[in-house]
Amino acid sequence: MREGLFEIFQEIYSELRPGSSLPELKIDFYAFANVNNTIRLRKGRLLVRLSDLLEGAPENVLRAIAHILLAKMYRQPIDRAQAARYRRYVGSHEIVRKAHLVRQMRGRKRLRGARGRFYDLDEIFEELNARFFHGLMARPQMSWSVTRTRRILGHYDPAHNAIIISRIFDHPAMPRWVVEYIVYHEMLHLKHPVRLRGSRRCVHSAEFQAEERLFPRAGEAEAWLKRMAT
Ligand SMILES: [Zn+2]
């Protein structure tokens, strides 16, 4: 299986970057709490982490994930057919059930659920995922907070792989783009894990903040949140 995977990555790499040779490659399967796959270039080595839920996936699915990761790494357009193939597989009944079981075993938090009275957080997540992350982000558990907290508007809990949004936003007077902005912020926490820099936790790195400004109405949303707090 592993050797087959190396060959797949090799082939896809030569398709994307003909003429250049694949850097040293390391592929590991990880027990993510969700279907999640990552790629990084570290000291000239390509480090690939695949969700253990993909172990045993059919070859065309592995080719799709290799294409998606390598295209992302080298900033090349992601082939729509490959993206669709991957999404179809991850969305299939079997893998959803498996992911669900794994989540239960790895400990789930008791939460209120994603569907509020006015806004559905799962739906908002998927829309933002498509708009800003090529649909590649694995959806964590999304939930409204139990209480209507004003102090914590939202947070990402890595231990439970959950995004919790304050219930105060589940209100008809709340514009959807404000809710989206809060969810987008928490999605960036998922994308940019907290790093230790010296002894200080760097929660909102420069990259994080730059990406946050890509949200079209970021300024307006910030102003709205400031008004809410006063
Ligand atoms: Zn934050």
Side-chain angles (χ1 to χ4, degrees), residues 154-156 185-186 188-189 203-204 208 212:
H155 78 282
Y156 169 59
H185 178 97
E186 299 311 324
L188 291 180
H189 276 303
V203 182
H204 300 127
F208 183 111
E212 191 172 32

Side-chain angles (χ1 to χ4, degrees), residues 2-228:
R2 296 292 160 104
E3 268 162 45
L5 255 180
F6 279 106
E7 275 169 29
I8 288 174
F9 271 82
Q10 175 79 65
E11 277 175 40
I12 303 279
Y13 184 89
S14 359
E15 277 169 33
L16 286 171
R17 316 190 80 204
S20 64
S21 61
L22 178 70
E24 192 187 328
L25 177 67
K26 189 169 178 285
I27 303 175
D28 284 312
F29 281 94
Y30 257 77
F32 288 117
N34 217 320
V35 188
N36 199 6
N37 306 288
T38 65
I39 189 165
R40 284 182 305 154
L41 192 60
R42 174 80 40 101
K43 291 182 182 147
R45 283 210 310 168
L46 267 183
L47 307 177
V48 174
R49 288 177 168 189
L50 300 176
S51 163
D52 59 352
L53 293 166
L54 294 180
E55 255 183 311
E59 187 182 327
N60 65 349
V61 173
L62 296 173
R63 296 185 77 85
I65 188 61
H67 170 83
I68 291 167
L69 289 174
L70 288 170
K72 220 167 76 156
M73 182 83 238
Y74 295 103
R75 296 169 195 276
Q76 299 211 18
I78 291 168
D79 183 83
R80 296 172 70 115
Q82 298 282 33
R85 186 167 298 131
Y86 172 72
R87 266 202 309 276
R88 226 175 7 250
Y89 180 76
V90 169
S92 72
H93 293 302
E94 199 191 350
I95 199 121
V96 167
R97 212 194 54 216
K98 218 163 139 193
H100 180 70
L101 276 174
V102 167
R103 254 196 314 271
Q104 276 181 333
M105 281 184 316
R106 289 175 192 159
R108 270 189 119 183
K109 221 168 167 168
R110 280 277 131 245
L111 290 167
R112 275 295 172 85
R115 186 167 296 186
R117 293 181 62 188
F118 303 97
Y119 292 113
D120 183 335
L121 292 173
D122 281 345
E123 186 200 311
I124 288 177
F125 180 98
E126 287 309 341
E127 202 192 301
L128 294 169
N129 196 10
R131 254 165 73 199
F132 296 100
F133 306 98
H134 307 288
L136 287 172
M137 201 177 271
R139 191 173 74 221
Q141 196 183 359
M142 300 295 296
S143 181
W144 292 105
S145 65
V146 175
T147 59
R148 294 170 47 84
T149 169
R150 270 177 183 282
R151 253 184 340 160
I152 301 165
L153 304 181
H155 78 282
Y156 169 59
D157 172 356
H160 294 92
N161 193 36
I163 287 178
I164 294 104
I165 303 294
S166 172
R167 190 163 281 279
I168 54 169
F169 292 102
D170 187 28
H171 192 278
M174 197 60 71
R176 185 178 171 101
W177 49 269
V178 174
V179 187
E180 284 174 356
Y181 180 70
I182 297 285
V183 174
Y184 179 65
H185 178 97
E186 299 311 324
M187 288 171 81
L188 291 180
H189 276 303
L190 231 152
K191 183 171 172 187
H192 302 272
V194 174
R195 267 197 316 247
L196 278 171
R197 189 173 283 169
S199 59
R200 197 175 106 236
R201 270 158 59 93
C202 180
V203 182
H204 300 127
S205 64
E207 292 149 277
F208 183 111
Q209 290 176 45
E211 209 169 329
E212 191 172 32
R213 284 191 294 272
L214 296 179
F215 191 84
R217 299 175 85 169
E220 263 179 281
E222 282 296 337
W224 181 284
L225 295 174
K226 214 164 271 167
R227 272 203 309 279
M228 254 176 64

